[in-house]
């Protein structure tokens, strides 16, 4: 056992009264509170306030004041500096933030450190770099000249205003960074609404953003359940909603944003991501790929693979090989650095995954490995491998967002392509083969926002990410996000 000791800074943070971060300071109201539960033990670690309508108002108004006031006075380079300083502060507070994240979400401490802190710092630097590269175009109009007059035109990319960033529980820091760093880099300001299951980390990060030089109101955090997100979307001061979460909530968010005042919105939603192994795949690489695609962070990654299609001639061999590393996985306390597989992040999600196990059994799928909850405190389930009875199996069609890899054999590549595209979702997919020509042909035909070849799940700030079909609208990262956080204005000049 190498369970880390909780840092005094984390103990002191947890002992504080938690609420919101509005206008550069912590706000704790008297109203109802939400329990924050450690998924590894089922025990409460803190509580957080559920925002009142007045607090939502105050957060949006503060962000609006910052947008027209101090943040509007900054140059792109000054905005980049704030993001760069925040990246450094995240790394300085790496262990403190990682421990808070693990205590609220059950994420393995190594994943908290690597993804929530180190990768978030990398993303912050990417957005900092983008801040000074947000430009329009010059255009030569073809308007007719009657008396020798000439025309020129140019475009401006102007910040939309206050962005409401609504965030799920699976990556409480990283997904929030994608939203508020996009906003701050483009000159917008932001109100983040974390998930009610993971409300703590952003409170600390907003304090660090102030320390990094963000003026009061540039980054606010408002905590609460879905209702708080809903109030935020309809608020008059909100110019854009950047939402990450499930498809059903995303549809509600889009409708509310349209009804509010045609408020701009982008949606990063769920998926039912496919992983296809061609006939020539190396079995060891396939097994490593299944672990990467299906079981990283217990499958609680929007881009994780859930549908695994293997050539019929190889499926038995690959399923047999998969059993050994799954048996060897060390399941346990996410604060123990030796643990390889931790709990699910919250009780409703644990209940949802348990129900999928029961459904697979009752509907006639074959459970090859796992399929049970663990008899210990907290929200632990076994990593699970299922062979679907046919293409209609619920596990091949409904997002589980958990550690369930569902397999189906196929016979030829036309059938494989039909399986890839036979889902209303289109977030991500991967193709595994040594035949690059086949991989590239499939990549161009698969209906998904991201297609990986011989890898899965890993995201890079330079490469745009987002959903095709019902997995979303809009793209984050790369330069693609700029279009979604700015308004394009055309200026035409006669001279
Ligand atoms: P969720 O949709 O239940 O909640 C997401 C956020 O929306 C939470 O902060 C919640 O409080 C808020 N919310 C709930 N109802 C709302 C409403 N009516 N109006 C406004 N806000 C509301 O999702 P979740 O369970 O937190 O997260 C899991 C889902 O997120 C999965 O479907 C997963 O695929 C998806 N996800 C997608 C991506 C991506 O980039 N595409 C990334 C991570 C997670």
């Amino acid at each position: 056992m190498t369970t880390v000791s909780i840092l005094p800074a984390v103990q002191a943070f947890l002992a504080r009264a938690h609420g919101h971060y509005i206008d550069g300071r912590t706000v704790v109201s008297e109203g109802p509170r939400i329990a924050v539960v450690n998924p590894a033990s089922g025990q409460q670690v803190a509580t957080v306030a559920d925002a009142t309508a007045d607090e939502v108002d105050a957060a949006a108004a503060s962000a609006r004041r910052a947008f027209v006031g101090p943040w509007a006075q900054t140059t792109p380079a000054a905005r980049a500096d704030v993001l760069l300083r925040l990246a450094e502060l995240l790394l300085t507070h790496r262990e403190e933030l990682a421990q808070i994240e693990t205590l609220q979400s059950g994420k393995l401490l190594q994943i908290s450190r690597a993804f929530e802190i180190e990768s978030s710092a990398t993303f912050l630097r990417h957005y900092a770099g983008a801040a000074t590269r947000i430009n329009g175009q010059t255009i030569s109009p073809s308007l007719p000249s009657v008396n020798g007059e000439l025309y020129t035109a140019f475009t401006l990319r102007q910040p939309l205003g206050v962005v409401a960033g609504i965030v799920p529980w699976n990556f409480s820091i990283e997904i929030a960074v994608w939203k508020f760093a996009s906003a701050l880099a483009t000159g917008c300001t932001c109100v983040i609404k974390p998930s009610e299951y993971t409300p703590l980390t952003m409170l600390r990060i907003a304090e660090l953003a102030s320390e990094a030089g963000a003026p009061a109101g540039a980054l606010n955090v408002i905590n609460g359940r879905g209702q708080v997100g809903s109030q935020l979307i309809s608020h008059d001061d909100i110019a854009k909603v950047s939402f990450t979460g499930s498809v059903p909530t995303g549809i509600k968010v889009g409708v509310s944003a349209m009804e509010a005042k045609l408020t701009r919105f982008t949606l990063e939603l769920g998926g039912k991501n496919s992983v296809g192994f061609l006939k020539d795949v190396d079995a060891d690489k396939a097994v490593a790929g299944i672990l990467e695609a299906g079981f990283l962070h217990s499958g609680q990654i929007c881009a994780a693979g859930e549908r695994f299609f293997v050539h019929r001639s190889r499926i038995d061999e690959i399923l047999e090989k998969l059993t050994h590393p799954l048996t060897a996985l060390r399941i346990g306390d996410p604060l123990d650095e030796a643990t390889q597989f931790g709990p699910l992040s919250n009780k409703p999600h644990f209940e949802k995954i348990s129900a999928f196990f029961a459904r697979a059994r009752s509907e006639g799928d074959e459970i090859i490995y796992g399929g049970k909850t663990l008899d210990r405190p907290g929200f632990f389930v076994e990593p699970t491998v299922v062979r679907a009875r046919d293409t209609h199996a619920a596990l091949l069609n409904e997002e589980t967002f958990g550690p369930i890899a569902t397999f189906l054999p196929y016979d030829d590549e036309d059938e494989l392509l039909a399986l890839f595209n036979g889902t209303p979702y289109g977030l991500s997919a991967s193709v595994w083969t040594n035949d690059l020509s086949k991989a590239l042909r499939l990549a161009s035909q698969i209906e998904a926002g991201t297609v990986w070849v011989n890898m899965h799940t890993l995201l890079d700030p330079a490469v745009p990410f987002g959903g095709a079909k019902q997995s979303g609208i809009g793209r984050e990262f790369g330069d693609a996000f700029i279009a979604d956080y700015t308004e394009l204005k055309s200026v035409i000049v006669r001279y």
Side-chain angles (χ1 to χ4, degrees):
M1 289 269 284
T2 44
T3 303
V4 302
S5 309
I6 300 297
L7 294 174
V10 173
Q11 288 169 356
F13 175 81
L14 291 176
R16 283 157 57 172
H18 301 290
H20 323 290
Y21 194 79
I22 302 173
D23 213 32
R25 58 188 189 87
T26 298
V27 172
V28 183
S29 51
E30 293 295 315
R33 302 193 67 77
I34 300 170
V36 185
V37 171
N38 178 353
S41 64
Q43 301 296 309
Q44 178 175 306
V45 289
T47 65
V48 72
D50 194 357
T52 61
D54 285 348
E55 286 163 339
V56 174
D57 238 359
S62 156
R64 176 73 199 165
R65 282 194 303 276
F67 174 68
V68 295
W71 202 239
Q73 310 304 321
T74 54
T75 60
R79 298 199 287 272
D81 278 347
V82 170
L83 294 173
L84 291 173
R85 277 196 295 270
L86 182 56
E88 287 311 308
L89 283 170
L90 243 64
L91 295 174
T92 307
H93 293 269
R94 172 179 176 267
E95 192 60 18
E96 173 195 343
L97 291 165
Q99 288 191 4
I100 297 170
E101 172 59 18
T102 290
L103 286 168
Q104 71 174 358
S105 73
K107 185 173 286 140
L108 297 185
L109 189 59
Q110 302 95 298
I111 298 185
S112 294
R113 290 171 181 152
F115 286 75
E116 296 282 32
I117 312 304
E118 287 155 21
S119 176
S120 291
T122 305
F123 273 97
L124 282 164
R125 294 195 188 104
H126 169 78
Y127 289 110
T132 53
R133 298 195 314 269
I134 299 172
N135 299 311
Q137 285 178 300
T138 55
I139 299 164
S140 302
S142 301
L143 294 167
S145 172
V146 180
N147 293 313
E149 69 275 25
L150 297 174
Y151 295 90
T152 189
F154 59 93
T155 57
L156 298 170
R157 283 241 161 244
Q158 297 187 305
L160 283 174
V162 180
V163 174
I166 302 179
V167 176
W169 46 258
N170 64 328
F171 284 94
S172 76
I173 301 176
E174 195 168 22
I175 293 176
V177 163
W178 299 344
K179 301 189 180 320
F180 77 71
S182 298
L184 297 181
T186 49
C188 299
T189 56
C190 195
V191 181
I192 291 286
K193 206 299 273 175
S195 166
E196 53 273 39
Y197 297 105
T198 51
L200 300 177
T201 41
M202 269 310 295
L203 293 172
R204 187 72 188 101
I205 282 171
E207 293 175 349
L208 295 176
S210 292
E211 201 178 320
L219 174 59
N220 302 276
V221 178
I222 188 94
N223 272 308
R225 301 184 203 278
Q227 173 62 19
V228 169
S230 183
Q231 284 169 17
L232 199 55
I233 295 165
S234 308
H235 198 281
D236 219 35
D237 285 331
I238 298 298
K240 175 197 160 69
V241 180
S242 175
F243 173 82
T244 298
S246 62
V247 173
T249 312
I251 291 169
K252 284 189 209 156
V253 165
V255 170
S256 308
M258 293 290 279
E259 284 176 354
K261 47 169 187 160
L262 278 188
T263 300
R264 305 290 187 270
F265 62 91
T266 42
L267 305 173
E268 292 284 345
L269 307 181
K272 190 70 193 171
N273 309 306
S274 305
V275 182
F277 295 103
L278 301 200
K279 195 174 175 181
D280 72 318
V281 74
D282 175 88
D284 290 328
K285 285 188 182 154
V287 167
I290 294 161
L291 297 175
E292 176 183 319
F295 296 104
L296 186 65
H297 190 26
S298 300
Q300 301 169 120
I301 301 181
C302 54
E306 296 203 1
R307 321 159 85 219
F308 292 79
F309 304 123
V310 187
H311 192 270
R312 192 177 299 278
S313 65
R314 307 291 310 284
I315 192 165
D316 292 337
E317 169 200 1
I318 288 173
L319 283 176
E320 198 187 320
K321 271 204 169 212
L322 182 58
T323 306
H324 176 67
L326 290 178
T327 317
L329 270 187
R330 280 188 295 271
I331 302 179
D333 183 353
L335 284 171
D336 181 341
E337 290 172 319
T339 298
Q340 295 169 309
F341 191 84
L344 295 177
S345 277
N346 54 69
K347 192 157 183 256
H349 194 48
F350 170 79
E351 284 163 357
K352 177 179 153 186
I353 296 301
S354 312
F356 269 117
F357 292 156
R359 220 165 134 195
R361 284 196 177 85
S362 71
E363 292 182 3
D365 299 324
E366 183 189 356
I367 297 188
I368 308 258
Y369 187 88
K372 294 192 290 297
T373 57
L374 295 189
D375 185 18
R376 56 180 289 167
F379 312 132
F380 288 87
V381 301
E382 292 174 326
T384 295
V385 176
V386 173
R387 191 166 170 153
R389 66 184 193 287
D390 58 31
T391 52
H392 300 295
L395 282 176
L396 274 184
N397 293 289
E398 294 175 27
E399 182 188 41
T400 68
F401 207 53
I404 309 179
T406 302
F407 285 75
L408 195 73
Y410 69 90
D411 291 299
D412 63 49
E413 277 150 34
D414 288 344
E415 185 189 354
L416 176 62
L417 183 62
L419 288 169
F420 265 120
N421 291 339
T423 163
Y425 303 110
L427 188 60
S428 75
S430 63
V431 179
W432 298 72
T433 175
N434 285 320
D435 187 334
L436 197 55
S437 170
K438 279 188 180 167
L440 292 179
R441 279 166 201 273
L442 275 168
S444 68
Q445 295 176 87
I446 291 170
E447 297 162 353
T450 296
V451 180
W452 288 285
V453 177
N454 295 330
M455 61 180 289
H456 198 109
T457 310
L458 300 179
L459 303 178
D460 184 279
V463 184
F465 179 73
K469 294 160 74 176
Q470 289 181 33
S471 287
I473 295 177
R475 292 291 179 272
E476 298 192 288
F477 335 154
D479 287 337
F481 78 94
I482 294 169
D484 289 333
Y485 283 75
T486 56
E487 196 72 77
L488 189 62
K489 180 182 284 174
S490 298
V491 181
I492 310 182
V493 182
R494 181 189 284 153
Y495 63 99

